[in-house]
Amino acid sequence: MTKNLITFSPDDSMGHVLRILVKKKFSGGPVVNDEGELVGIVSEGDCVKQVVRGKYTNTPELNGTVSEYMTPAPITVGPNENIIEVAQKFLKLRLRRFPVVDNGELVGQISQYDVMVAVDSLRNETWS
């Protein structure tokens, strides 16, 4: 799980999101409101949607806001959830990341890569 998160505001521009994702080499991140509550997820795919929309409206700038493109009310996992159960959720739901929420507070994010790292560290243990 990644604990040091870059978060976005619903009012951020998609251009800002694109610049941060490219600079940090991230594929997406959580969206939090002014109270710090998780309200969505924004991804590189959402940026691409804005680019395509700009092509059709002849506006190459990424002026849309995160709230227009994010996935609201994202599916989350808990910090103590079993890594194999999380892996199954990735396969079933075909998502790339889950926010990790503990008692309503965003505490991190887990990706498919994080699952691979965790499983690799368990390779010498029994899974039963």
Side-chain angles (χ1 to χ4, degrees), residues 79-111:
N80 299 318
E81 205 159 323
N82 178 291
I83 197 68
I84 303 304
E85 291 172 4
V86 173
Q88 289 173 328
K89 281 185 181 182
F90 276 122
L91 291 175
K92 180 180 179 186
L93 300 172
R94 312 213 32 82
L95 297 173
R96 295 183 68 181
R97 72 196 59 79
F98 292 117
V100 180
V101 176
D102 189 15
N103 294 319
E105 180 185 349
L106 177 66
V107 295
Q109 180 171 275
I110 190 167
S111 68

Side-chain angles (χ1 to χ4, degrees), residues 20-44:
I20 297 297
L21 294 181
V22 168
K23 180 180 177 183
K24 299 290 185 178
K25 298 182 182 177
F26 290 166
S27 62
V31 181
V32 296
N33 62 18
D34 292 338
E35 290 77 40
E37 300 166 322
L38 178 69
V39 295
I41 289 283
V42 67
S43 70
E44 60 195 358

Side-chain angles (χ1 to χ4, degrees), residues 37-69:
E37 300 166 322
L38 178 69
V39 295
I41 289 283
V42 67
S43 70
E44 60 195 358
D46 298 323
C47 292
V48 172
K49 288 175 193 171
Q50 170 69 49
V51 168
V52 170
R53 178 179 168 193
K55 168 68 176 153
Y56 290 113
T57 59
N58 200 27
T59 54
E61 294 294 321
L62 298 171
N63 293 329
T65 62
V66 169
S67 62
E68 295 174 71
Y69 289 90

Side-chain angles (χ1 to χ4, degrees), residues 106-125:
L106 177 66
V107 295
Q109 180 171 275
I110 190 167
S111 68
Q112 292 182 24
Y113 178 79
D114 295 323
V115 170
M116 292 188 313
V117 169
V119 169
D120 186 48
S121 70
L122 295 173
R123 69 179 176 261
N124 295 325
E125 297 185 22

